[in-house]
Amino acid sequence: FKIEQNNYGLRISDLDAGSERLRIDASGAMTLPLQPAFLATNTNANQTNFAVGALVDVNFGVEVFDQNADFASSTFTAPVAGKYQFNVNCRLDDMDSASNYYLVRLVTSNRNYTHIWDSNEFSSDTNYFSLQVSCLADMDASDTAKVIVYQNNGTQQTAVIDASYFSGHLVC
């Protein structure tokens, strides 16, 4: 490793790989260029009429950023053990009021984190609604995280719309 200090702050680099590992600027702000972090959306990839009574993987095909290349095929794979902050927003359109409930679930190798919504509380179908999940999840190296949606019954008409996103980063 190479440690450089100057009037602009402190930088630690890997001499073999030639890449910066840590930077602390003059204000004290720290950046870790290889810290696992990602944001993915399903821009222009609505999943229309998804199956009723089945766990359906949400397709997040557009990576806004993937700082360490740990996100692929709508799944995040933890490169190291630690605590990871995840945030999910699934916008659902044309929700059927005849369905008893909908859920969005963050599925990790260790446990699931679920937001469930009682959709038959309204007298008619809901045009659009967002379900969110946020959590601090413990993950081991090579554990995975993905997002699923579920409609328990009713008419197959609901769509996951392109205003949905999935993000995460290593906290500690």
Side-chain angles (χ1 to χ4, degrees):
F1 283 95
K2 177 181 177 185
I3 299 175
E4 298 175 87
Q5 183 177 5
N6 56 33
N7 294 337
Y8 304 109
L10 175 71
R11 184 173 71 176
I12 299 175
S13 300
D14 183 338
L15 290 176
D16 294 332
S19 60
E20 186 174 282
R21 301 294 189 193
L22 172 112
R23 179 181 290 226
I24 303 173
D25 71 13
S27 73
M30 181 175 70
T31 57
L32 302 164
L34 299 177
Q35 184 79 350
F38 72 93
L39 170 61
T41 69
N42 63 338
T43 303
N44 299 321
N46 296 342
Q47 289 176 261
T48 58
N49 302 321
F50 65 79
V52 174
L55 299 174
V56 177
D57 289 353
V58 178
N59 297 323
F60 292 101
V62 176
E63 291 181 14
V64 177
F65 61 86
D66 183 7
Q67 182 177 291
N68 202 40
D70 301 308
F71 186 84
S73 302
S74 299
T75 302
F76 172 77
T77 303
V80 297
K83 308 301 183 266
Y84 290 80
Q85 176 64 43
F86 292 108
N87 302 295
V88 176
N89 181 72
C90 280
R91 180 177 151 192
L92 303 178
D93 280 15
D94 302 322
M95 297 175 76
D96 186 15
S97 62
S99 176
N100 288 333
Y101 64 90
Y102 285 83
L103 63 81
V104 62
R105 177 175 289 159
L106 174 65
V107 178
T108 71
S109 300
N110 293 330
R111 64 192 44 84
N112 298 327
Y113 305 88
T114 304
H115 180 172
I116 189 168
W117 184 67
D118 182 357
S119 54
N120 65 7
E121 291 298 316
F122 295 109
S123 60
S124 63
D125 292 354
T126 304
N127 290 333
Y128 48 87
F129 196 83
S130 291
L131 297 174
Q132 297 89 22
V133 175
S134 293
C135 68
L136 184 63
D138 61 315
M139 298 187 76
D140 300 316
S142 300
D143 280 355
T144 59
K146 68 177 184 174
V147 177
I148 59 105
V149 291
Y150 180 81
Q151 174 184 344
N152 99 300
N153 60 3
T155 303
Q156 183 174 337
Q157 66 187 40
T158 305
V160 179
I161 299 301
D162 66 4
S164 302
Y165 63 84
F166 178 26
S167 68
H169 66 278
L170 175 62
V171 174
C172 57

